[in-house]
Structures are given as structure tokens and as C-alpha cells.
Amino acid sequence: MTSKVIRTDDGSLTLRHPEVGEAYHSLDGADSETRNKFILPSRLSERLTHGPVNLLDVGFGLGLNCRSALACSGKYPLHIDSLEIEHQALERGLVVCPDDPLILSLLQSGTFESGRNRVQLHLGDLRQTVKSLCQPYDLIFHDPFSPVRNSECWTVEIFAEMYRLLKPDGALLTYSQSKMVRAALHEAGFILHDTEVPAPHRGGTLACKQGTGLEFDPALPLRDPGLNASGHEIRSQREAALRREKEGTSTMHDRTL
């Protein structure tokens, strides 16, 4: 379960997941990634001046997104539902933030309260958890590991569930600008926008239900119709679809010669 602590370029700490092989945060800066890809483009502080905010945090990880969101505490309460696959993630979080009251409370009871703010942890396969949620959310922070390592979290079907849960004026934010991720979001009904992030970070994606979005290159998305396939199965199905598409294009080209 142990993993080496990594000091990122902005001085903040993260870990590399021992099985997945990816760091929990950008090595360019864990704190700055959270601030510039989630907190600032979501306008969370501004939203908390107008009314209570319900936030769905997909991928608790080491708890950085949750802590940063709670630090925006404003006039109105912030309620966070945080989804996490592994119980061990919380224990790893204590390696980076020893004696952190958020993680300690979640380990003990699955909930954390600070003033009027509240965090509820949901452990287990997020695909099954998200189907059981009915709370309309103002914001969704989508922050699992990458589509290559955590494919089940980036499908058309999981984004369709998030579309269902998002308020009409809400927003989903993710660090990814992957073509297949944006294709999945678009097919699920979202309108897409770039998030402008200062260097050295790369931009992310903001997805909403209203307005006019950006144009983007088409791509085949990841699919998981039953919300129960393994990551390997999901990737293999997409690779097979890509082969069929390529063969079909080749056949059409031959017929025109």
C-alpha cells in the first residue's frame, strides 16, 4: 500500500499509485492543478455567494480537490458527495497530509462536517454508486486516473449519468482534453468548452448543458453499455470498433478507384 511521496514543481506533495502506476496529481504542481483546472474555472467561490452549492467529486484520491473546495467556504454551505473506489486511498492521503481532519473523519465515519459544510464519502465502484444518486448537482469535478488506466470512468454511459445529475446551469470539469473523452461527453449531451490554464499545465474541459460550445475533432468514445465491463474490455471494444471503421473506410476507397 505504501507509495513514495513526490514533491511536485509548485512545492505541494502527491503520491504515485502503486498499482495504477500514475501519480494522483500533475507533477507540474498538485495544488496549482486543482486550483487552475477545477476551483477557478468552476467559479466555486462566486457560486457560494449566491446560494448553497452541491458538488459531486468523482475520485476522492488523496482529498486535495475536497480540501481546496472547502477552503472556498463562503456565505452559503457547500455539500460534497465524493466517490472513491479504494478505501486505501484515504490511508495514502494521510501519508501526504498526516492528521488531516477531513481524511481522519472520513475514515472513521464516512462523513466530515466543518461549520455548515459537509462531505459524504461513497466507497465502491463509482458506476454503481452514481446510478444510485439523485441529488441535483451544481458542479461535478471529474478527476479519476487517465482514460488509459481508468477507462470505466470515461465512457459515454458514465457521462450520461452525470448529465442526468447536473443542474441546468451546472458544470462538469475535468483535467482531460482527450478527443475520445470529449466525444463521450458530447454524445452524452454536454456542450464543451476549453478551460484556459496557465503554463506549465495544459488546459482541461468544462462541460455544461447550455450555450454554444467549441468545435472539436470527431473521435470514437469509450463505451460501457451495462456499466459493468472491465477497463480492458472497454478498451478492447473501442480498438475493435476503430479497426472496423478503418476497414470500412478502406473498402469505400477501393470502390471509388
Side-chain angles (χ1 to χ4, degrees):
M1 192 199 79
T2 58
S3 186
K4 182 181 178 181
V5 175
I6 302 170
R7 185 171 296 278
T8 65
D9 288 350
D10 68 1
S12 56
L13 304 178
T14 191
L15 297 176
R16 189 174 301 278
H17 192 285
E19 285 84 37
V20 175
E22 291 183 351
Y24 279 92
H25 307 98
S26 168
L27 300 187
D28 291 326
D31 284 349
S32 57
E33 179 185 42
T34 292
R35 181 174 63 254
N36 290 308
K37 292 194 176 184
F38 293 97
I39 302 300
L40 293 179
S42 71
R43 299 185 296 108
L44 176 57
S45 294
E46 179 183 339
R47 287 175 181 268
L48 285 167
T49 66
H50 297 293
V53 172
N54 293 323
L55 166 63
L56 178 61
D57 174 45
V58 181
F60 178 83
L62 306 180
L64 182 53
N65 287 347
C66 268
R67 283 194 298 275
S68 298
L70 290 168
C72 295
S73 182
K75 180 179 178 181
Y76 293 95
L78 172 63
H79 298 152
I80 304 175
D81 282 318
S82 189
L83 312 186
E84 175 55 48
I85 296 173
E86 298 181 312
H87 185 274
Q88 292 94 331
L90 280 77
E91 297 173 359
R92 293 187 187 110
L94 289 177
V95 176
V96 173
C97 296
D99 302 319
D100 179 67
L102 168 64
I103 296 178
L104 289 171
S105 182
L106 293 178
L107 278 168
Q108 182 176 7
S109 65
T111 62
F112 171 79
E113 294 188 8
S114 175
R116 294 168 297 172
N117 301 326
R118 188 171 189 271
V119 179
Q120 177 69 52
L121 181 69
H122 303 264
L123 282 173
D125 189 326
L126 74 87
R127 295 173 295 180
Q128 304 311 311
T129 303
V130 79
K131 287 195 296 184
S132 70
L133 297 174
C134 57
Q135 174 82 265
Y137 294 97
D138 300 279
L139 294 171
I140 299 175
F141 290 176
H142 191 73
D143 195 20
F145 288 112
S146 73
V148 173
R149 298 291 187 180
N150 220 172
S151 303
E152 60 273 21
C153 299
W154 300 91
T155 64
V156 173
E157 292 76 17
I158 198 68
F159 286 134
E161 289 292 330
M162 294 178 191
Y163 187 93
R164 171 183 66 84
L165 291 168
L166 192 67
K167 290 182 179 180
D169 61 347
L172 178 152
L173 294 104
T174 181
Y175 62 84
S176 177
Q177 285 189 334
S178 161
K179 291 180 180 179
M180 67 179 179
V181 168
R182 289 187 165 184
L185 284 162
H186 178 73
E187 188 167 328
F190 285 103
I191 297 165
L192 308 181
H193 302 270
D194 287 325
T195 55
E196 296 183 6
V197 178
H201 296 289
R202 292 178 293 177
T205 301
L206 183 150
C208 58
K209 292 185 171 183
Q210 300 176 347
T212 302
L214 57 82
E215 295 183 2
F216 57 93
D217 295 332
L220 281 178
L222 295 166
R223 299 184 186 279
D224 182 15
L227 287 174
N228 57 7
S230 69
H232 175 73
E233 290 170 334
I234 292 168
R235 291 189 296 275
S236 295
Q237 289 165 4
R238 181 177 184 272
E239 290 165 3
L242 283 170
R243 287 194 297 271
R244 290 194 298 270
E245 184 179 80
K246 184 176 181 180
E247 290 166 0
T249 301
S250 176
T251 300
M252 288 295 295
H253 176 71
D254 291 344
R255 289 176 179 174
T256 60
L257 295 179

